[in-house]
Amino acid sequence: MKIGILDQAPIAKGNSATGALQNAVETAKLADELGFHRMWMAEHHNLRTLASSAPEITASFLAAKTKRIRLGTGGVMAMHYSPYKLAEVFKTLSALAPGRIDFGVGRAPGGDHRSTQALAEGRPYMPTDLYDKIQTTLDLISEQSLSDSLHDDIIATPAEIQLPEAWLLGSTGNSAIRTGRLGVGYSFAQFFNGEMSKAIFDAYKYNFVPSAFMEKPVINVTYSVSVAETKEEAEYIALPVDLSRLFLMKGRIPQPFTPDEALEYPLTASDRALIQSNRDRKLHLVGTAAEIADQLRADQQALGFDEVMISASAPSQEIRLKQLRLLARELL
């Protein structure tokens, strides 16, 4: 099974934003050594708990620090940028690291209303079909002729380079059909809403049209995972991750906890029920490496996806790297 990593550059308790990005470099180097297939950086704005706001820049830095692993964005948020700029950024990346760059693109804002306004320089929102915008970006990357007046007679440079892989992110299934018609990979964020199904993945496959980016449909699924050598230890390191999601569900800004601090947090009966519900919906997998590997293989068999991505959230960098080593031992 091919395994990848989604990194939001979380700022752990006692760490800094600089440290979180340095951790991303360390994570990429280890993942490269262990044989992980790809690593993506997320795009988030106006959050003091996450340091990944410019994933295309971080990905380029990581590509220079690694040898084999694919690097990219999971994803860059199309609503904030022009198709022409996105095309030139990712063509440049692919020219610098041919065969190793992923253009993973999302339709969400990646931030709140205020950061979205700031990224638009205060301009009023102009309704746009983001699928059309993404299609235009893909056409510019693959150097297709565009008949619209804005992009007529221009080319996204550097030209005639090896294309990046292209992926569209989704979390509800609403984008499955359109992703297939775009002819790109489908990256499903199971850790976000917990709504993956065979019907969603089959809809993507049925509607897939081969493109310059993908000859056949490819699906990866991103899970939040807490894995350790024993079930008890896995539960111990999982609680800070559970609390972060609990805060989000209550409309509160998540804050970093150490495992010991998380144990002391006063959970109500309702809180514990929500945490268990999240686990039941596979928003967060917790267990030994063997247990997690068995669950991932069973899901792959039942649902028909191709790859797994691991959301690299952990109470500390030491724990995160240990988790990667344990998963690599079982799955690679």
Side-chain angles (χ1 to χ4, degrees), residues 6-321:
L6 174 65
D7 193 352
Q8 299 169 307
I11 304 172
K13 188 69 175 283
N15 201 1
S16 64
T18 298
L21 290 169
Q22 291 171 343
N23 285 345
V25 177
E26 185 180 28
T27 299
K29 288 181 176 180
L30 178 64
D32 196 34
E33 294 170 6
L34 292 173
F36 281 74
H37 185 57
R38 64 178 92 242
M39 177 170 166
W40 290 351
M41 300 302 299
E43 179 174 338
H44 292 285
H45 303 287
N46 203 27
L47 282 174
R48 293 185 179 274
T49 55
L50 301 175
S52 186
S53 60
E56 69 283 6
I57 293 176
T58 311
S60 68
F61 192 84
L62 298 181
K65 298 290 184 179
T66 53
K67 297 178 180 179
R68 181 206 55 81
I69 192 169
R70 299 190 65 92
L71 283 309
T73 51
V76 65
M77 296 306 168
M79 67 182 298
H80 302 309
Y81 315 107
S82 73
Y84 192 49
K85 182 61 177 177
L86 285 174
E88 294 200 321
V89 165
F90 282 87
K91 291 184 77 175
T92 298
L93 287 174
S94 196
L96 289 168
R100 294 181 57 209
I101 297 301
D102 296 336
F103 170 53
V105 62
R107 297 177 299 120
D112 60 8
H113 176 68
R114 292 185 66 83
S115 59
T116 300
Q117 274 196 320
L119 284 162
E121 299 180 273
R123 293 187 297 270
Y125 173 70
M126 300 296 291
T128 302
D129 187 326
L130 284 171
Y131 293 110
D132 289 344
K133 190 172 186 177
I134 292 168
Q135 181 67 72
T136 298
T137 306
L138 295 172
D139 289 343
L140 287 166
I141 292 174
S142 58
E143 300 175 20
Q144 302 298 307
S145 297
L146 293 171
S147 57
D148 65 274
S149 58
L150 183 62
H151 299 101
D152 186 33
D153 204 29
I154 64 169
I155 188 168
T157 55
E160 299 179 4
I161 51 91
Q162 183 172 348
L163 298 182
E165 282 191 7
W167 295 77
L168 184 62
L169 279 62
S171 62
T172 64
N174 292 335
S175 59
I177 292 174
R178 295 294 294 269
T179 304
R181 291 173 180 170
L182 287 169
V184 300
Y186 188 33
S187 182
F188 194 87
Q190 171 64 12
F191 75 101
F192 196 71
N193 282 325
E195 297 181 2
M196 68 176 176
S197 70
K198 190 174 186 300
I200 289 173
F201 297 158
D202 286 349
Y204 160 72
K205 293 175 185 177
Y206 180 80
N207 287 278
F208 185 84
V209 178
S211 72
F213 300 94
M214 295 271 184
E215 295 181 355
K216 59 182 181 180
V218 184
I219 301 168
N220 70 38
V221 176
T222 304
Y223 291 84
S224 176
V225 170
S226 292
V227 57
E229 292 176 341
T230 67
K231 180 72 171 179
E232 293 74 20
E233 185 184 356
E235 290 289 346
Y236 175 67
I237 65 174
L239 191 52
V241 180
D242 289 327
L243 287 179
S244 290
R245 177 167 294 278
L246 186 64
F247 275 45
L248 283 172
M249 294 175 74
K250 293 184 173 185
R252 298 169 58 187
I253 298 174
Q255 63 186 76
F257 288 92
T258 67
D260 286 338
E261 288 173 337
L263 285 174
E264 297 299 320
Y265 187 81
L267 291 170
T268 66
S270 175
D271 292 337
R272 294 185 187 280
L274 280 173
I275 288 172
Q276 187 58 52
S277 174
N278 289 337
R279 301 234 192 137
D280 292 342
R281 293 164 57 207
K282 299 182 182 178
L283 288 163
H284 185 195
L285 304 184
V286 180
T288 66
E291 290 170 338
I292 298 299
D294 287 346
Q295 180 67 75
L296 296 177
R297 292 191 186 102
D299 284 355
Q300 184 184 44
Q301 178 84 21
L303 301 173
F305 57 79
D306 303 285
E307 303 178 15
V308 163
M309 298 277 280
I310 301 301
S311 176
S313 295
S316 72
Q317 178 69 352
E318 179 184 4
I319 291 172
R320 174 160 69 166
L321 297 182

